[in-house]
Amino acid sequence: MMLLSEVEYLDIGRRIVPLLGSALGGPSAQALRELARAYDPSADESLISAEVFLFHKYLLMQACVGVFPEAHVDHVVGGLFAALNEQASGLELGPDRQQAMEAVWQQRARQFDQPFSQDRGQFLDEGSGPAHWQQTIGQFCQNVRAMESPPDLWAGNDGPSYLASHSVTIALDQMLSALGEIYRLHFQEES
């Protein structure tokens, strides 16, 4: 399997970036914002927005892992991050701010890895219940505000956590579908 050039991976990253923008403007982002407000009514809106962004960035990265061949995944994700950095270049962030943002991203990615893997396993189990992303969404809420004894997010059958889980499932499906098209455009000859 032949690797592409850095420019080609950056081009793929540029094609993927709008998927993040679409998710951030979509129902899953809104559902997570509502859940965060229900979980911690005192949470600052900028903190909620930052956590919603990091959550969807993580979902998109995992969708890339699920779609692209293993030999290309790191390069595709690198192209995505380079394209995101291009978008952020207009913000004129200093090196300290960029390093702080990268440190937060690395921390969130590590925090989400185990819950996402466990939830993904349950999601793939046909006998699982309707709350597919319990642990991942629970980690999202803990990132909004760490609590030793968090409220039961899953009490009842139609609370904001269920809506968030359902919306995240739809967002992830849309990401996978769109990434599948990008994969076919760039790697169909290798399949």
Side-chain angles (χ1 to χ4, degrees):
M1 188 172 288
M2 196 165 104
L3 295 177
L4 304 176
S5 70
E6 284 185 31
V7 171
E8 290 170 307
Y9 286 116
L10 177 59
D11 181 53
I12 292 170
R14 289 176 179 147
R15 292 174 186 259
I16 295 172
V17 166
L19 299 177
L20 182 58
S22 178
L24 292 172
S28 66
Q30 185 57 36
L32 286 170
R33 283 186 190 95
E34 290 173 19
L35 175 61
R37 288 182 200 113
Y39 177 79
D40 180 11
S42 68
D44 179 80
E45 288 298 317
S46 62
L47 171 64
I48 292 172
S49 292
E51 292 301 337
V52 167
F53 172 79
L54 292 168
F55 183 89
H56 283 88
K57 182 179 175 182
Y58 182 82
L59 284 183
L60 186 55
M61 184 186 72
Q62 289 301 318
C64 287
V65 169
V67 169
F68 293 99
E70 188 176 338
H72 294 280
V73 168
D74 288 342
H75 301 287
V76 169
V77 170
L80 168 62
F81 288 0
L84 286 170
N85 287 338
E86 280 183 343
Q87 299 273 324
S89 67
L91 299 175
E92 298 181 20
L93 302 172
D96 291 343
R97 180 75 174 143
Q98 289 176 342
Q99 286 178 340
M101 289 171 56
E102 181 61 23
V104 170
W105 162 247
Q106 293 293 331
Q107 179 186 23
R108 292 300 182 261
R110 282 190 303 274
Q111 289 173 333
F112 282 126
D113 278 341
Q114 183 181 13
F116 183 84
S117 294
Q118 291 171 344
D119 284 340
R120 184 178 177 275
Q122 285 202 340
F123 178 75
L124 296 173
D125 178 7
E126 292 180 26
S128 67
H132 300 301
W133 305 107
Q134 278 188 346
Q135 293 180 44
T136 307
I137 288 173
Q139 182 61 57
F140 164 79
C141 289
Q142 285 287 316
N143 291 342
V144 169
R145 180 172 172 213
M147 295 184 195
E148 280 190 37
S149 300
D152 183 3
L153 300 171
W154 305 96
N157 291 326
D158 61 350
S161 54
Y162 287 94
L163 176 61
S165 183
H166 179 71
S167 297
V168 165
T169 301
I170 292 169
L172 194 52
D173 286 345
Q174 290 170 343
M175 287 176 184
L176 290 168
S177 176
L179 288 171
E181 288 301 313
I182 293 170
Y183 166 76
R184 283 186 272 293
L185 285 172
H186 290 277
F187 299 99
Q188 65 185 5
E189 297 166 2
E190 294 185 24
S191 322

